[in-house]
Coordinates of all heavy atoms in Angstrom, one line a residue:
F114 N -16.0 -0.9 -4.2 CA -14.5 -0.6 -4.3 C -14.1 -1.5 -5.6 O -14.6 -2.6 -5.7 CB -13.7 -1.0 -3.1 CG -13.8 -0.1 -1.9 CD1 -14.6 -0.4 -0.9 CD2 -13.0 1.1 -2.0 CE1 -14.8 0.6 0.0 CE2 -13.2 2.1 -0.8 CZ -14.1 1.8 0.1
D115 N -13.2 -1.0 -6.3 CA -12.7 -1.8 -7.5 C -11.6 -2.9 -7.0 O -10.7 -2.5 -6.4 CB -12.1 -0.8 -8.5 CG -11.7 -1.4 -9.8 OD1 -11.6 -2.6 -9.9 OD2 -11.7 -0.6 -10.9
E116 N -12.0 -4.0 -7.4 CA -11.0 -5.1 -6.9 C -9.7 -5.0 -7.6 O -8.7 -5.7 -7.2 CB -11.7 -6.5 -7.1 CG -13.0 -6.7 -6.2 CD -13.4 -8.1 -6.2 OE1 -12.8 -9.0 -6.9 OE2 -14.5 -8.4 -5.6
N117 N -9.6 -4.2 -8.8 CA -8.3 -4.1 -9.4 C -7.5 -2.8 -9.0 O -6.5 -2.6 -9.6 CB -8.5 -3.9 -10.9 CG -9.1 -5.3 -11.5 OD1 -8.5 -6.3 -11.2 ND2 -10.1 -5.1 -12.3
V118 N -8.1 -2.2 -7.9 CA -7.4 -1.0 -7.3 C -6.9 -1.3 -5.9 O -7.7 -1.8 -5.1 CB -8.3 0.2 -7.4 CG1 -7.8 1.3 -6.7 CG2 -8.7 0.7 -8.9
M119 N -5.6 -1.0 -5.7 CA -5.2 -1.0 -4.4 C -4.9 0.4 -3.8 O -4.2 1.2 -4.4 CB -3.8 -1.9 -4.4 CG -3.1 -2.0 -3.0 SD -1.6 -2.9 -3.0 CE -0.5 -1.7 -4.0
V120 N -5.4 0.7 -2.7 CA -5.1 1.9 -2.0 C -3.9 1.8 -1.1 O -3.7 0.8 -0.3 CB -6.4 2.3 -1.1 CG1 -6.0 3.7 -0.3 CG2 -7.4 2.7 -2.1
E121 N -2.9 2.6 -1.2 CA -1.7 2.4 -0.6 C -1.3 3.8 0.3 O -1.3 4.8 -0.3 CB -0.6 2.2 -1.5 CG 0.8 2.0 -0.8 CD 1.8 1.5 -1.8 OE1 2.4 2.5 -2.5 OE2 2.3 0.4 -2.0
F122 N -1.3 3.7 1.5 CA -0.7 4.8 2.4 C 0.8 4.6 2.5 O 1.2 3.7 2.8 CB -1.4 4.7 3.8 CG -2.8 4.7 3.8 CD1 -3.7 3.6 3.9 CD2 -3.7 6.0 3.7 CE1 -5.1 3.7 3.8 CE2 -5.0 6.1 3.7 CZ -5.6 4.9 3.7
N123 N 1.5 5.8 2.1 CA 2.9 5.8 2.0 C 3.4 6.7 3.1 O 2.9 7.7 3.3 CB 3.3 6.4 0.7 CG 2.8 5.6 -0.4 OD1 3.6 4.6 -1.0 ND2 1.7 5.8 -1.0
I124 N 4.4 6.3 3.8 CA 4.9 6.8 4.9 C 6.4 7.0 4.8 O 7.1 6.0 4.8 CB 4.6 6.1 6.3 CG1 3.0 6.0 6.4 CG2 5.1 6.9 7.5 CD1 2.7 4.9 7.4
D125 N 7.0 8.2 4.8 CA 8.4 8.6 4.7 C 8.8 9.0 6.2 O 8.3 10.0 6.7 CB 8.6 9.6 3.8 CG 9.9 10.4 4.0 OD1 10.9 9.7 4.4 OD2 10.1 11.5 3.6
T126 N 9.7 8.2 6.9 CA 10.1 8.4 8.2 C 11.3 9.2 8.3 O 11.7 9.6 9.4 CB 10.2 7.2 9.0 OG1 11.2 6.3 8.4 CG2 8.8 6.4 8.9
N127 N 12.1 9.4 7.3 CA 13.5 10.1 7.4 C 13.6 11.3 6.5 O 14.8 11.7 6.3 CB 14.6 9.1 7.1 CG 14.5 8.4 5.7 OD1 13.7 9.1 4.9 ND2 15.2 7.4 5.5
G128 N 12.6 11.7 5.9 CA 12.6 13.0 5.2 C 13.2 13.1 3.9 O 13.4 14.1 3.3
D129 N 13.4 11.9 3.2 CA 13.9 11.8 1.9 C 12.9 11.7 0.9 O 13.2 11.5 -0.4 CB 14.9 10.8 1.8 CG 14.2 9.3 2.0 OD1 13.0 9.2 2.3 OD2 15.1 8.3 1.8
A130 N 11.5 11.8 1.2 CA 10.5 11.8 0.1 C 10.4 10.5 -0.6 O 9.8 10.5 -1.7 CB 10.5 13.0 -0.8
I131 N 10.8 9.5 0.2 CA 10.8 8.2 -0.4 C 10.1 7.2 0.6 O 10.5 7.3 1.9 CB 12.1 7.4 -0.7 CG1 12.8 8.3 -1.9 CG2 11.9 6.0 -1.1 CD1 14.2 7.7 -2.2
E132 N 9.2 6.5 0.3 CA 8.4 5.8 1.3 C 9.3 4.7 2.0 O 9.8 3.9 1.3 CB 7.0 5.1 0.6 CG 7.3 4.1 -0.5 CD 7.2 4.8 -1.7 OE1 7.8 5.9 -2.0 OE2 6.6 4.2 -2.7
D133 N 9.2 4.7 3.3 CA 9.9 3.6 4.1 C 8.9 2.6 4.5 O 9.4 1.5 4.8 CB 10.6 4.3 5.3 CG 11.6 5.5 4.9 OD1 12.7 5.1 4.4 OD2 11.3 6.6 5.2
L134 N 7.6 3.0 4.7 CA 6.6 2.0 5.2 C 5.5 2.3 4.3 O 5.2 3.4 3.8 CB 6.3 2.3 6.7 CG 7.4 2.2 7.6 CD1 6.9 2.6 9.1 CD2 7.8 0.6 7.7
V135 N 4.6 1.3 4.1 CA 3.4 1.4 3.4 C 2.3 0.6 4.2 O 2.6 -0.4 4.7 CB 3.4 0.7 1.9 CG1 4.4 1.7 1.1 CG2 3.9 -0.6 1.9
I136 N 1.2 1.1 4.1 CA -0.1 0.3 4.4 C -1.0 0.0 3.2 O -1.4 1.0 2.5 CB -0.9 0.9 5.4 CG1 -0.1 1.3 6.7 CG2 -2.1 0.1 5.9 CD1 -0.8 2.2 7.6
Q137 N -1.0 -1.2 2.6 CA -1.8 -1.5 1.4 C -3.0 -2.1 1.6 O -3.2 -3.1 2.5 CB -0.9 -2.4 0.6 CG 0.4 -1.8 0.2 CD 1.4 -2.7 -0.6 OE1 1.4 -4.0 -0.3 NE2 2.2 -2.2 -1.3
C138 N -4.1 -1.6 1.0 CA -5.5 -2.0 1.2 C -6.1 -2.6 -0.1 O -6.0 -2.0 -1.0 CB -6.4 -0.9 1.8 SG -5.8 -0.2 3.3
T139 N -6.5 -3.8 -0.1 CA -7.1 -4.5 -1.2 C -8.5 -4.9 -0.9 O -9.0 -5.0 0.2 CB -6.4 -5.7 -1.7 OG1 -6.3 -6.7 -0.6 CG2 -4.8 -5.4 -1.8
F140 N -9.3 -5.1 -2.0 CA -10.7 -5.4 -1.9 C -11.1 -6.7 -2.8 O -10.6 -6.8 -3.9 CB -11.4 -4.3 -2.4 CG -10.9 -2.9 -2.0 CD1 -10.0 -2.1 -2.7 CD2 -11.3 -2.4 -0.7 CE1 -9.5 -1.0 -2.1 CE2 -10.9 -1.2 -0.2 CZ -9.9 -0.6 -0.8
K141 N -11.8 -7.6 -2.1 CA -12.1 -8.7 -2.7 C -13.3 -9.4 -2.2 O -13.4 -9.7 -1.0 CB -10.9 -9.9 -2.7 CG -11.1 -11.1 -3.4 CD -11.1 -10.9 -5.0 CE -11.0 -12.2 -5.7 NZ -11.0 -12.1 -7.2
D142 N -14.4 -9.8 -3.0 CA -15.4 -10.5 -2.5 C -16.1 -9.9 -1.2 O -16.7 -10.6 -0.3 CB -15.2 -12.0 -2.2 CG -14.7 -12.7 -3.5 OD1 -15.1 -12.3 -4.7 OD2 -13.8 -13.7 -3.3
G143 N -16.3 -8.6 -1.3 CA -17.0 -7.9 -0.2 C -16.2 -7.6 1.0 O -16.6 -7.3 2.1
M144 N -14.8 -8.0 0.9 CA -14.0 -7.8 2.0 C -12.9 -6.8 1.7 O -12.5 -6.7 0.5 CB -13.3 -9.2 2.5 CG -14.3 -10.3 2.8 SD -14.9 -10.0 4.5 CE -13.5 -10.3 5.5
V145 N -12.3 -6.1 2.8 CA -11.1 -5.3 2.6 C -10.0 -5.9 3.4 O -10.4 -6.3 4.6 CB -11.5 -3.9 3.1 CG1 -12.0 -3.7 4.4 CG2 -10.2 -2.9 2.9
T146 N -8.8 -5.7 3.1 CA -7.6 -6.4 3.7 C -6.7 -5.4 3.8 O -6.3 -4.7 2.7 CB -7.1 -7.6 3.2 OG1 -8.2 -8.7 3.2 CG2 -5.9 -8.2 4.1
A147 N -6.0 -5.0 4.9 CA -4.9 -4.0 5.0 C -3.6 -4.9 5.4 O -3.7 -5.6 6.5 CB -5.3 -3.0 6.0
Y148 N -2.6 -4.5 4.7 CA -1.4 -5.1 5.0 C -0.3 -4.1 5.6 O -0.3 -3.0 4.9 CB -0.7 -5.8 3.8 CG -1.6 -6.9 3.3 CD1 -2.4 -6.6 2.2 CD2 -1.5 -8.3 3.7 CE1 -3.2 -7.6 1.7 CE2 -2.3 -9.2 3.1 CZ -3.1 -8.8 2.1 OH -3.9 -9.9 1.6
G149 N 0.5 -4.2 6.6 CA 1.4 -3.3 7.0 C 0.8 -2.7 8.3 O 0.0 -3.1 9.0
P150 N 1.7 -1.6 8.7 CA 2.9 -1.0 8.1 C 3.9 -1.8 7.8 O 4.3 -2.6 8.9 CB 3.2 0.2 9.0 CG 2.0 0.4 9.8 CD 1.4 -1.0 10.0
V151 N 4.6 -1.8 6.7 CA 5.6 -2.7 6.3 C 6.6 -2.0 5.3 O 6.0 -1.1 4.5 CB 5.2 -4.1 6.0 CG1 4.4 -3.9 4.6 CG2 6.3 -5.0 5.8
A152 N 7.8 -2.4 5.3 CA 8.7 -1.9 4.2 C 8.1 -2.3 2.7 O 7.8 -3.4 2.6 CB 10.1 -2.3 4.4
P153 N 8.1 -1.4 1.9 CA 7.6 -1.6 0.6 C 8.6 -2.5 -0.2 O 9.8 -2.6 0.0 CB 7.4 -0.3 -0.1 CG 8.5 0.5 0.6 CD 8.5 0.0 1.9
I154 N 8.0 -3.5 -1.1 CA 8.8 -4.2 -2.1 C 9.5 -3.2 -3.1 O 10.6 -3.4 -3.4 CB 8.1 -5.3 -2.7 CG1 7.6 -6.3 -1.6 CG2 8.8 -6.0 -3.8 CD1 6.7 -7.4 -2.0
A155 N 8.7 -2.3 -3.6 CA 9.0 -1.3 -4.6 C 8.6 0.0 -4.1 O 7.6 0.3 -3.5 CB 8.5 -1.6 -6.0
T156 N 9.4 1.1 -4.6 CA 9.2 2.4 -4.3 C 9.0 3.2 -5.5 O 9.3 2.7 -6.6 CB 10.3 3.1 -3.4 OG1 11.4 3.1 -4.2 CG2 10.5 2.3 -2.1
G157 N 8.5 4.5 -5.5 CA 8.4 5.3 -6.7 C 7.1 5.0 -7.4 O 5.9 5.1 -6.9
T158 N 7.3 5.0 -8.7 CA 6.0 5.0 -9.6 C 5.4 3.5 -9.7 O 4.4 3.4 -10.2 CB 6.4 5.3 -10.9 OG1 7.4 4.5 -11.5 CG2 6.9 6.9 -10.9
S159 N 6.0 2.4 -9.2 CA 5.4 1.1 -9.1 C 5.2 0.6 -7.6 O 5.9 1.2 -6.7 CB 6.4 0.2 -9.8 OG 6.4 0.5 -11.3
S160 N 4.3 -0.2 -7.6 CA 4.0 -0.8 -6.3 C 3.6 -2.3 -6.4 O 2.9 -2.7 -7.3 CB 2.7 0.1 -5.7 OG 2.8 0.1 -4.3
T161 N 4.1 -3.0 -5.4 CA 3.9 -4.5 -5.4 C 3.3 -4.7 -4.1 O 3.6 -4.4 -3.1 CB 5.3 -5.3 -5.6 OG1 5.8 -4.8 -6.8 CG2 5.1 -6.8 -5.5

């Protein structure tokens, strides 16, 4: 896995096509870490 790439599962719970929750997966030194489900810091074309 590319350590500069984050995989993000986006979940819209109210039907407005905007993510209300995200699960973010990062990769570092042979480990994977998942954060969430949690409200995103940013929505749309950017992700934090």
Side-chain angles (χ1 to χ4, degrees):
F114 290 98
D115 191 331
E116 294 189 0
N117 292 314
V118 171
M119 176 177 72
V120 173
E121 182 176 79
F122 299 97
N123 300 269
I124 304 164
D125 164 29
T126 60
N127 59 15
D129 63 358
I131 298 173
E132 57 268 41
D133 300 292
L134 298 169
V135 293
I136 302 170
Q137 298 176 330
C138 300
T139 61
F140 313 93
K141 184 71 172 178
D142 298 331
M144 300 283 292
V145 56
T146 300
Y148 303 93
V151 66
I154 295 174
T156 62
T158 58
S159 295
S160 212
T161 302

